[in-house]
Each structure stands twice: as C-alpha cells, then as structure tokens.
Amino acid sequence: MDTAPSARPAATVSSEAETRARRKVATAAALASAVEWYDYFVFGIAAALVLGDLYFPSGSSSAGVLAAFATFAVGFLARPLGGVIAGQLGDKRGRKPMLVLALTLMGLATTGIGLLPTYDTIGVAAPILLVALRVVQGLAVGAQWGGAMLMATEYAPEGKRGLYGSLVQLGVPIGVVTANTVFLVAGALTSDSAFAAWGWRLPFLVGLLVLALAWYIHAKVEETPEFKAAEAELAKAEADRSHSPLRRVLREHLGTVFLAGGSFAVNTATFYIIITGVLDYTTRELGMKREAVLTVSLCISLTQLALIPASAALSDRIGRLRIYALGAAGLVVWAVPMFLLIDTGSLLWLAVGTFVTSCFLSIMYGPQAALFAELFTAEMRYTGASLGYQIAAVFGGGLAPFVMVLLLEATGTSMAVSGYIIGLGVIALISIKVLAGRAAAR
C-alpha cells in the first residue's frame, strides 16, 4: 500500500503564497507610513517646544511660535506637489518606486534638520535651510501616502480593502506615539538647558532608519496586482504623448478631488490642533507641564491603534460613507465641549476632551484610505487620491496650528478655535452628502 504523503494541491500552495505576499506588503506599507509620519510629526512637536526660540528669535514668544508654525505649514503647502509628481509617475511606472523615493527623501530631510545649526551659529541661513528641509519633508509625505495606501489596498483580498487600507492609516498614531515617546525620553535624559541645546535633535536623527526601510521595500516587495493588470492599458496610453493621469483627473474628476478634500479637511485640521496646537496652548498659555501633556497625547494615540482598524472593518460591512459621516458629525458636536474641558487646565479633563475627539477622528480615518482609492480607477488612482488627500492637508492640517494661534491672539478665547472646527465640519458633511448622492446615482 502506498503510504507516501500526497502532494499538496497547487491551488492551496498558490493561496498560501498569495496570503504571505499580502501580509508582507501590508506590513511594509504600514511600516513605511509609520516611519514617514514619525519623521513628519517630530517637526510639529519641536515647533511647539523649541524651534521658535532657536531659529526665529524675537522679543515675543507668540511671534516665535507663529514663525515656527508657519514653517510647519510650509511642509503642507509642498504636499500637493509631492502628490502630483508621485501620482503622475506612480500611475505610469508603479506604486513601489515612488514609495521608495518618498522614504529616501524623508529620511535625508529629517536627519538634515537634526544636524542643522541654529540662528545663533549661522544667522539667517538657519531658518532658510530649516524651511527648505521642511519643504522636502512635505514633498516626501505627499508622495508617500498614495504609494503606501495603494500598496495595501490594491493587494487586499475581496471585501477587506477598508481593513487593509487602515493598516497604512495606523502609521499616523504609531508615528505620534513614537515621536512623543522619543521626545519624552530625550527630555527625561537631559536638563531643560541641554534639551534646548541638543536634546531636541535626537528624535530627528532617528530618521536614518527610514533609509534602511526604503532599501527593504525596493529589494523585497513586489508591485501591486492591480497596477500590473493595468500595465497593458497604460502601455497603450503611453504611445499617446498627450496621456497624463493628472490631466485626466483635472479634466474629468476635479469635482471629486475637491469633494474628497472638503470631506477630510476637518479631520486633519482637528488632528493637528490636538497634537500640536494644544501642546503649545496648554504649556504656554495654561502653564501645564510639557511632559504631562506629551504623555496624554501619547496615551490618546494608543487608543487609535484599536479604533482605526475597527472602524475600517465596519466600513467593509456597512459602507464607507456612513462611518465617515458619523465621525465628521461627532467632531462638529464635540468641538465646543473639547475646549471647555481643556480650558480648565486640568490634566484629567484635557485627557477626556482629546480622547473623545480622537475617537471621532479614528472613526473617520479608518475607512478614508479605501474610500479615496475607490473614487478613482487604477490608472489614475495614485494621482486622484493623493490630490484629494493633500488638498485637505493644506487647507486643514497645515494651517490649523497657525490659525489656532492667530485666533487665540485675536479673540482671547478658545471658542474661536471651536468655531473653526465646526465650520470645517459643516463643509465635510456637505461634501460627504454630495459624494453619497453620486455613489447612489452610479
């Protein structure tokens, strides 16, 4: 009797290989997002704590912070350009090369900031170089999000695009947690004077690790199946010199791009208000301890690690726009109570106020990657999704901390900042309603 083990069915082997490939790509995309956002966020924290005094010295602490936050915003202004350039090339040449390029640029720029001399050392060249490096960071993150998001969602199995897309979205809270942790460790290991002199540089030097991840993705990760499937069509389009994903998006889908941006601006603005603007406000205006506020921000971000994939998985079952709209409505309703709690100057109420806000942010952010990917077809998806996301980043996130300081200085009340969030939230709900109407029509 033949007792030799039977060969495993080819279909089973193929299925296991596909599962391993999906897991490898999803992990690589999530890591790429996490390290990229870490590098981006350390600048925001440093802007709130030290960059104003070191690179923009003046007689007013508010003026220094405004200058530092303006430099923070410059990175956001560069993000659409990064998205356009990477989108054009990513829709023609592939998702992976653009993701590798974005990681390389971010690693070099972040390390450069960590090594940059201050105003006292090289004078006006210091803020100029700081702005230039921040622009490179903006270009890199503008290119990165679309590449990482599409690597994950275009590898996703049927019915799980939202969940796979959320793995890239987890890069944001992971980046925040890591950035806050490194700053807390740097602060704990140095005196206040040493932190201001060199301790703040340590979190930026971690950017060197990004280069190792860029090499790994270049060497070990395959291009997405959906892009490979679209390559034949893209080859035909390449023969037509007038072919341009950007031109097609602007000609046929500009309204969708603006609706996507309008739907998301409230999320990114509120996010940067609570992780950067509130850090400055509570330490400079309310007299709260830097380490305590950073710890609250760290703990709040940890809760997002569970909420983001949960909301994304739910969107796979009941629809993206329903979950997305729930989060936007929550931000509108909670905008006033959040600042009433923060204004008490109590660490506990600060935690409560920002935790609830973080929940609504997570509910929106979880399904957002898959939602934006599904608004465009594969041959123009990198360009279209990136443009929608980065438009929101410019008019929401990039300006939010700067606008917050201006509103506080002009009105003397945090309720003005709540009004700013509510206004963006109303725009989001209108945009979501129009997108839902278009989806129903299709």
Side-chain angles (χ1 to χ4, degrees):
M1 186 171 75
D2 184 8
T3 59
S6 59
R8 297 173 65 190
T12 301
V13 175
S14 175
S15 176
E16 289 181 359
E18 288 178 2
T19 299
R20 286 195 300 271
R22 286 192 181 112
R23 288 174 179 171
K24 179 195 290 186
V25 171
T27 301
L31 285 173
S33 177
V35 297
E36 190 94 351
W37 284 116
Y38 164 84
D39 283 3
Y40 202 67
F41 291 147
V42 292
F43 192 101
I45 297 173
L49 297 177
V50 296
L51 295 186
D53 292 335
L54 296 176
Y55 290 91
F56 305 95
S58 69
S60 165
S61 60
S62 296
V65 171
L66 280 171
F69 280 160
T71 305
F72 179 69
V74 164
F76 286 82
L77 296 175
R79 282 171 60 169
L81 179 59
V84 167
I85 294 172
Q88 283 278 89
L89 295 173
D91 281 331
K92 291 182 177 182
R93 306 289 181 235
R95 306 352 184 167
K96 187 179 82 168
M98 292 303 100
L99 181 57
V100 171
L101 176 61
L103 289 168
T104 303
L105 286 175
M106 181 62 87
L108 293 174
T110 304
T111 304
I113 293 171
L115 299 173
L116 186 63
T118 64
Y119 186 93
D120 287 343
T121 304
I122 60 173
V124 72
I128 292 173
L129 290 171
L130 182 66
V131 171
L133 290 169
R134 181 60 178 170
V135 167
V136 176
Q137 279 195 321
L139 291 171
V141 82
Q144 174 271 145
W145 181 81
M149 178 270 290
L150 293 179
M151 290 289 287
T153 58
E154 291 185 348
Y155 256 105
E158 186 69 26
K160 292 187 177 181
R161 178 171 274 177
L163 179 60
Y164 270 62
S166 73
L167 298 178
V168 174
Q169 306 296 73
L170 286 176
V172 171
I174 291 172
V176 173
V177 168
T178 310
N180 278 282
T181 300
V182 174
F183 265 101
L184 282 169
V185 171
L189 296 177
T190 60
S191 64
D192 288 345
S193 60
F195 180 83
W198 57 268
W200 66 271
R201 297 180 182 276
L202 299 178
F204 287 91
L205 299 179
V206 177
L208 287 169
L209 298 177
V210 181
L211 301 177
L213 180 61
W215 175 85
Y216 174 82
I217 292 175
H218 171 73
K220 303 294 184 181
V221 175
E222 295 292 326
E223 187 56 79
T224 72
E226 285 195 39
F227 180 80
K228 288 180 178 179
E231 279 189 304
E233 199 66 33
L234 289 167
K236 294 178 183 177
E238 279 291 295
D240 178 6
R241 292 182 179 273
S242 65
H243 169 68
S244 164
L246 176 62
R247 188 178 294 115
R248 185 175 175 189
V249 167
L250 295 180
R251 184 176 62 243
E252 301 175 13
H253 302 280
L254 184 60
T256 302
V257 168
F258 280 117
L259 287 170
S263 74
F264 191 62
V266 66
N267 185 288
T268 187
T270 307
F271 173 77
Y272 283 103
I273 283 172
I274 67 170
I275 71 158
T276 301
V278 167
L279 175 59
D280 167 63
Y281 177 59
T282 53
T283 55
R284 185 166 56 89
E285 298 289 342
L286 302 182
M288 300 177 73
K289 297 293 186 182
R290 177 187 67 204
E291 291 78 10
V293 177
L294 284 172
T295 301
V296 167
S297 179
L298 186 154
C299 293
I300 296 304
S301 295
L302 285 172
T303 65
Q304 293 184 309
L305 297 178
L307 291 170
I308 287 175
S311 66
L314 187 59
S315 80
D316 282 329
R317 301 182 62 182
I318 68 174
R320 317 264 183 244
L321 288 170
R322 289 182 181 179
I323 303 299
Y324 200 58
L326 176 62
L331 292 175
V332 171
V333 172
W334 189 247
V336 170
M338 176 182 73
F339 270 102
L340 290 176
L341 293 174
I342 291 172
D343 284 343
T344 63
S346 162
L347 200 63
L348 172 62
W349 291 122
L350 168 67
V352 172
T354 53
F355 169 73
V356 176
T357 303
S358 178
C359 290
F360 291 126
L361 290 174
S362 300
I363 289 171
M364 281 191 79
Y365 202 57
Q368 184 250 344
L371 172 63
F372 278 30
E374 291 165 354
L375 292 175
F376 305 93
T377 54
E379 66 274 11
M380 57 179 166
R381 184 173 290 152
Y382 202 138
T383 302
S386 293
L387 269 179
Y389 185 93
Q390 303 310 338
I391 285 173
V394 170
F395 293 103
L399 294 175
F402 185 81
V403 169
M404 179 176 172
V405 174
L406 285 180
L407 289 173
L408 290 170
E409 288 288 312
T411 66
T413 172
S414 61
M415 290 300 99
V417 186
S418 296
Y420 172 58
I421 294 173
I422 291 170
L424 290 175
V426 170
I427 293 172
L429 291 171
I430 293 171
S431 300
I432 292 168
K433 183 174 179 59
V434 176
L435 285 172
R438 290 186 174 191
R442 288 196 300 271

